[in-house]
């Protein structure tokens, strides 16, 4: 009977030691994971703070490019439509030439 009690106590001690060891490993893994996340967040913050002005500059440049393209696209769309009207016979040669001459003198 004493052997059973002793075995039972030693088994409980082993289980407790195992749980303690498992908790310690888990804590170490959690610390390591938090440290990696912190390092990654710090790196991303550093990169974004360095790229901040450049990002703003590129954004403004993109807006200017879009604006400039929109200035050229409308006349191109109009010209495409006029060419379509000419090619389908809706506009005659005389009308096409007079339209193009008025547009060329405006630019």
């Amino acid at each position: 009977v004493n052997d059973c009690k002793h075995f039972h106590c030693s088994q409980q001690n082993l289980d407790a030691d195992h749980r303690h060891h498992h908790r310690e490993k888990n804590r170490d893994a959690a610390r390591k994971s938090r440290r990696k996340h912190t390092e990654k967040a710090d790196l991303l913050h550093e990169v974004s703070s360095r790229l901040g002005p450049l990002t703003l500059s590129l954004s403004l440049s993109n807006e200017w490019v879009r604006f400039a393209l929109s200035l050229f696209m409308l006349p191109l769309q109009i010209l495409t439509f006029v060419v379509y009207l000419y090619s389908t016979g809706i506009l005659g040669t005389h009308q096409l030439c007079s339209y193009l001459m008025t547009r060329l003198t405006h630019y």
Side-chain angles (χ1 to χ4, degrees):
V1 174
N2 282 340
D3 288 339
C4 286
K5 282 184 180 180
H6 180 68
F7 177 76
H8 186 65
C9 288
S10 65
Q11 187 64 35
Q12 284 178 338
N13 286 340
L14 285 174
D15 288 346
D17 287 345
H18 178 72
R19 283 193 302 271
H20 178 71
H21 178 70
H22 182 71
R23 279 191 212 114
E24 285 298 316
K25 283 179 68 174
N26 215 8
R27 285 186 192 121
D28 290 342
R31 274 189 214 103
K32 184 178 178 182
S33 176
R34 284 192 298 273
R35 185 173 52 246
K36 282 177 71 175
H37 281 97
T38 302
E39 289 170 358
K40 187 175 182 179
D42 289 346
L43 179 64
L44 287 173
H45 179 71
E46 182 182 342
V47 168
S48 69
S49 66
R50 289 184 183 193
L51 289 178
L54 177 63
T55 304
L56 179 62
S57 174
L58 288 175
S59 174
L60 291 174
S61 295
N62 285 342
E63 287 178 32
W64 277 108
V65 167
R66 279 191 218 104
F67 176 70
L69 278 174
S70 70
L71 292 178
F72 289 109
M73 289 305 292
L74 185 59
L76 181 62
Q77 290 169 347
I78 292 171
L79 183 60
T80 303
F81 183 65
V82 169
V83 169
Y84 166 76
L85 292 176
Y86 175 74
S87 67
T88 56
I90 296 172
L91 281 182
T93 307
H94 186 288
Q95 294 164 318
L96 177 63
C97 289
S98 64
Y99 173 79
L100 291 176
M101 289 307 289
T102 57
R103 290 295 169 205
L104 291 175
T105 56
H106 284 31
Y107 292 109

